[in-house]
Amino acid sequence: MFKLYNTLTHKKQEFKPIKSKKVGLYTCGPTVYDFAHIGNLRTYIFEDILKRTLKMNGYAIKHVMNITDVGHLVSDADTGEDKMMKALRREGLKPDAQSMKELANKYFLAFKKDTGDLNIIPPDERPKATEHIKEQVELIKMLMVKGCAYETADAVYFDTARLKDYGKLAHGRAEVEEALARVESSKEKRNAPDFALWIKAVGRHEKHVMQWPSPWGRGFPGWHTECSAMSRKYLGQPFDIHCGGVDHIPVHHTNEIAQSEAAYGAPMANYWLHAEFLTFGRNKMAKSAGTFISLADMEKKGFKPLAYRYLCLTAHYRSKLNFTWESLAAAQNALESLYEVARYWPKPEAVEPSRLENFKEALNDDLDTPRALAELWFVVKSIDESFRAATVLEFDKILGLGFKDYIARPPKIPAKIKKLARQREVARAAKEWQAADKLRRQVEEAGFLVEDTPKGPKIKSKIS
Ligand code: AMP
Ligand code: ZN
């Protein structure tokens, strides 16, 4: 049985798709105003594991991820500047639509590269908010017709008092109000949790370089509007699974649900899955908190992206993961030692069915990746050597740790090294221990190791 924890019902539930073998999946994507930090990337890795596990269970997936390139304000309470406008200034770009497109494209490409380096399977659709203004205006019109939205001098707001179950994803309206309590709220709102559907190009937004005409004057859509409009366009309503980080529960996802359900009278999605935060010391990793580490920062320190993927898999997605450079180093060592042993296995033959069964059971239990990794280590250390390669390759369809480049691929040993090893054998046979040690050191300095096995000496590459 495939079980997932559904934030909406607060319990682990058996996954039952709407259509028998096809799953509609929507995951909130990046706001392309900066590089992604490794906290954001943790969430995308979790979503990738979910996708691969769905596939393992025989489902075809249609995965949609939005790209936010307008409307995400600095604060979740619809105050402050648009993050994209702030970035335009930060980068000293011209305040025009063309520069904004270039800015968005720069960070979109960086996002594609990071997720590619982490072996994350790309979505089927990556719709941009700026390319779906018509759909968003239609949604707002519908909310106006239904009496769930109202216009003020600065925006069109969603009237949360019109929904009896507003805030159900976050346990209730009080939780939403609490999440918003610390931030300044617009004086024009009727109720504190009301949120902007359309933001007028007036006041602080007068000079916004991205504006479109609408029945409520020129302006741009609010951040939540895009996810309701685009998920409906590409996946219909309801669709199966909606994901994001836990920070999206009280505001962004709560408001997506409010809009979609009020406008179209049907649930938005059946399963809501949320990844816990990556923390850094006592803080969550966040662009604004100055605790920003990108994948490129990690690589500059000599870490490989897949070592970070491995680190993420060591924690369950619903637990916080505290990032330290030491834990990343331990993850990289663990992964490289796995690669290293895999090099000397015989070529893939047969999968060990009982171990595969255990592995699937772990993932089908709400994506228990720590248990899946324990199963990987068991296979590597304890099962018959002839089963290891094929079993690990099967596991790696989900883990995505890049084993195929290492399994049964012993490193090429240069002739010079082979010669040094032979000379060492001669020295050992003649009991010239000092000479033998010196030759061993020469081999090591060149990046190799000589291991004495019952079958004679074996040369291996050193783990870098
Ligand atoms: P953003 O670009 O800020 O909209 O964030 C992109 C994704 O990363 C969202 O699903 C967020 O919930 C998630 N996210 C943000 N900060 C963290 C963090 N520290 N750890 C894990 N996920 C995060
Ligand atoms: Zn969203």
Side-chain angles (χ1 to χ4, degrees):
M1 198 196 286
F2 180 22
K3 283 188 172 175
L4 293 169
Y5 182 87
N6 188 353
T7 308
L8 198 59
T9 55
H10 317 299
K11 52 177 187 264
K12 265 195 220 174
Q13 277 174 261
E14 182 181 357
F15 176 66
K16 290 197 180 127
I18 296 164
K19 290 185 199 136
S20 70
K21 277 290 161 201
K22 186 142 184 166
V23 174
L25 170 69
Y26 188 92
T27 60
C28 290
T31 304
V32 282
Y33 70 112
D34 205 337
F35 294 105
H37 60 63
I38 56 173
N40 304 135
L41 295 171
R42 180 188 187 199
T43 295
Y44 303 129
I45 291 171
F46 138 70
E47 291 159 354
D48 189 53
I49 295 289
L50 169 67
K51 249 171 99 169
R52 290 169 183 254
T53 305
L54 284 162
K55 212 163 159 208
M56 174 185 91
N57 281 286
Y59 296 112
I61 300 139
K62 181 165 180 193
H63 176 200
V64 180
M65 174 187 268
N66 64 306
I67 303 295
T68 302
D69 52 359
V70 72
H72 193 174
L73 303 191
V74 168
S75 139
D76 275 357
D78 301 324
T79 54
E81 207 178 353
D82 184 329
K83 290 184 179 185
M84 294 297 292
M85 283 297 286
K86 203 172 160 188
L88 202 67
R89 242 193 1 260
R90 181 190 70 217
E91 308 224 338
L93 297 170
K94 269 205 242 148
D96 59 28
Q98 183 54 31
S99 306
M100 186 62 104
K101 278 202 173 136
E102 282 164 20
L103 175 84
N105 199 42
K106 169 179 160 185
Y107 290 114
F108 172 61
L109 292 177
F111 171 75
K112 267 185 31 181
K113 176 168 189 324
D114 283 350
T115 47
D117 289 348
L118 287 165
N119 251 350
I120 291 172
I121 299 169
D124 302 289
E125 302 280 353
R126 266 189 286 232
K128 296 193 172 84
T130 53
E131 290 170 7
H132 293 79
I133 300 299
K134 188 172 94 329
E135 290 81 351
Q136 298 183 69
V137 167
E138 285 308 311
L139 170 72
I140 303 168
K141 275 193 199 160
M142 185 64 103
L143 290 169
M144 278 295 212
V145 169
K146 299 232 165 148
C148 293
Y150 58 94
E151 186 179 352
T152 72
D154 69 0
V156 177
Y157 289 104
F158 186 95
D159 186 353
T160 56
R162 295 294 309 255
L163 291 189
K164 272 204 221 58
D165 59 357
Y166 177 76
K168 62 185 170 188
L169 187 71
H171 292 263
R173 174 181 287 268
E175 272 74 8
V176 178
E177 291 192 8
E178 196 188 316
L180 292 169
R182 274 166 278 114
V183 287
E184 170 209 353
S185 171
S186 162
K187 311 235 166 358
E188 302 196 24
K189 287 184 191 181
R190 289 182 191 163
N191 319 285
D194 290 1
F195 55 91
L197 298 161
W198 185 261
I199 299 165
K200 296 184 181 179
V202 296
R204 66 156 67 91
H205 301 299
E206 194 179 345
K207 299 219 161 65
H208 200 299
V209 299
M210 306 301 280
Q211 4 178 313
W212 295 266
S214 83
W216 318 282
R218 293 187 69 80
F220 55 93
W223 174 36
H224 321 301
T225 316
E226 65 182 86
C227 290
S228 287
M230 301 197 299
S231 64
R232 183 176 168 85
K233 173 169 175 178
Y234 292 95
L235 296 172
Q237 187 180 331
F239 58 91
D240 293 294
I241 309 179
H242 194 315
C243 301
V246 283
D247 56 329
H248 285 165
I249 298 171
V251 181
H252 183 52
H253 287 172
T254 286
N255 293 344
E256 284 184 24
I257 290 176
Q259 294 166 158
S260 292
E261 300 192 357
Y264 301 109
M268 183 179 186
N270 289 344
Y271 297 82
W272 290 78
L273 271 60
H274 294 98
E276 249 301 347
F277 272 143
L278 182 78
T279 56
F280 190 60
R282 261 190 275 141
N283 300 314
K284 75 166 192 171
M285 185 160 289
K287 284 169 189 165
S288 52
T291 49
F292 185 111
I293 299 170
S294 68
L295 206 60
D297 294 332
M298 264 177 31
E299 289 184 83
K300 267 185 234 137
K301 287 186 182 254
F303 291 104
K304 297 194 178 126
L306 292 184
Y308 180 62
R309 185 174 170 110
Y310 181 97
L311 176 64
C312 289
L313 302 186
T314 61
H316 189 265
Y317 77 92
R318 286 195 292 119
S319 310
K320 285 197 177 67
L321 172 60
N322 188 38
F323 178 81
T324 62
W325 290 106
E326 291 74 26
S327 58
L328 181 61
Q332 178 139 309
N333 276 337
L335 185 60
E336 297 210 322
S337 65
L338 289 171
Y339 288 160
E340 188 55 25
V341 290
R343 283 182 179 282
Y344 301 94
W345 290 340
K347 287 207 171 1
E349 284 169 38
V351 172
E352 220 281 66
S354 69
R355 303 323 305 190
L356 183 60
E357 215 34 58
N358 289 352
F359 179 82
K360 285 185 174 174
E361 216 178 278
L363 287 159
N364 282 348
D365 183 11
D366 194 28
L367 314 178
D368 191 343
T369 53
R371 222 168 97 201
L373 279 187
E375 203 51 50
L376 171 73
W377 278 95
F378 186 90
V379 166
V380 168
K381 296 218 155 192
S382 308
I383 71 167
D384 188 286
E385 205 180 46
S386 61
F387 288 109
R388 285 182 196 169
T391 310
V392 168
L393 278 178
E394 199 58 31
F395 286 12
D396 210 34
K397 286 183 185 164
I398 316 294
L399 301 174
L401 292 170
F403 276 101
K404 77 168 181 352
D405 295 336
Y406 297 91
I407 285 180
R409 289 186 178 206
K412 289 218 163 50
I413 310 291
K416 192 181 106 198
I417 303 295
K418 286 186 188 160
K419 191 170 162 198
L420 287 172
R422 275 199 306 274
Q423 287 171 349
R424 175 175 167 266
E425 276 315 285
V426 173
R428 269 158 55 93
K431 300 201 176 356
E432 290 170 10
W433 306 119
Q434 269 188 356
D437 280 352
K438 192 172 163 206
L439 286 157
R440 177 201 279 271
R441 274 199 303 280
Q442 281 177 291
V443 168
E444 285 185 7
E445 276 155 22
F448 294 85
L449 287 175
V450 201
E451 215 176 80
D452 295 311
T453 71
K455 289 186 203 154
K458 203 166 164 184
I459 311 172
K460 291 187 160 185
S461 62
K462 246 189 190 170
I463 299 168
S464 53

